[in-house]
Amino acid sequence: FVAGETAFDKYKPGSSIQYTVGNHLDDIHFSTELPPPAAGKVNLEVAKTIRGLDEEQARNLLNQMQFTIDGEKVSGNTFKNFTNNGDGSYTASYQVQLSIGSASSVTKSAEELMSTTKVEGYKLTEVSVSINGGAVKIGNEASVTIKDQGSGSIEFENTYEQETETMRIVKVDERNQ
């Protein structure tokens, strides 16, 4: 919001200037996304997708998870826009606008701290990551290079399977002994 001089500010009795009052509003928008970055800034989004758990388990897991994003520890409970993807997976994201000074680009990193990914009764079968929606790679850390006034994303995905145990049952027929 910017207030600026208007014709009314210059009005003097007997002048031919009409009475006008106003403010200058520019680039107004409402969104759940970060605004486009200004010069010297970049947007970074870190997304987390969880497969193989129900919605409550996925939310609980996300809340206990920890990440290191651009060198800072970030809790999963700060991730927003928790979404049921309709295919048995759930996604949430963390968005931040970072200053890069006068550099033309910058490399930012994110890591999922594996010690915070445990779910009782389930085993973690796959941990993968992709950068800017590109090829999926096995791993729990990645870096993305972002140009000044640009955006980049790092997407983590964990797949869980319910643990099962094998049980052997032997029937003993005492009549045959």
Side-chain angles (χ1 to χ4, degrees):
F1 175 84
V2 177
E5 186 176 69
T6 67
F8 180 75
D9 296 326
K10 296 179 182 179
Y11 174 77
K12 297 198 183 346
S15 149
S16 64
I17 297 176
Q18 297 295 313
Y19 287 98
T20 61
V21 177
N23 293 311
H24 305 285
L25 299 176
D26 192 16
D27 196 19
I28 304 297
H29 65 278
F30 298 92
S31 174
T32 58
E33 304 295 319
L34 289 173
K41 296 192 180 282
V42 296
N43 287 347
L44 174 64
E45 177 181 34
V46 177
K48 178 67 190 165
T49 299
I50 299 168
R51 292 186 178 281
L53 303 177
D54 66 30
E55 185 169 345
E56 181 180 357
Q57 291 169 317
R59 280 184 190 275
N60 290 339
L61 174 63
L62 184 63
N63 287 333
Q64 79 183 24
M65 295 182 83
Q66 295 282 316
F67 299 83
T68 301
I69 300 174
D70 194 34
E72 306 237 351
K73 194 173 271 191
V74 175
S75 175
N77 64 9
T78 62
F79 280 49
K80 304 291 183 220
N81 303 323
F82 186 89
T83 304
N84 181 339
N85 299 320
D87 61 358
S89 70
Y90 305 89
T91 301
S93 63
Y94 175 84
Q95 299 173 347
V96 62
Q97 194 166 83
L98 304 165
S99 293
I100 65 168
S102 61
S104 62
S105 67
V106 66
T107 300
K108 297 296 182 180
S109 63
E111 176 184 6
E112 176 180 17
L113 303 179
M114 297 310 296
S115 62
T116 65
T117 62
K118 295 176 179 37
V119 178
E120 188 173 330
Y122 287 81
K123 64 180 178 179
L124 179 58
T125 59
E126 186 175 303
V127 178
S128 60
V129 62
S130 67
I131 299 166
N132 293 329
V136 176
K137 299 176 183 172
I138 301 301
N140 67 312
E141 58 186 292
S143 296
V144 61
T145 299
I146 310 168
K147 292 182 180 180
D148 185 28
Q149 295 183 278
S151 297
S153 66
I154 299 174
E155 302 93 15
F156 292 105
E157 184 172 311
N158 290 9
T159 302
Y160 291 85
E161 287 182 4
Q162 195 162 16
E163 292 179 337
T164 59
E165 293 187 27
T166 304
M167 183 176 9
R168 183 173 173 213
I169 299 174
V170 177
K171 180 179 178 183
V172 177
D173 187 351
E174 294 181 3
R175 292 177 294 166
N176 291 336
Q177 293 188 3

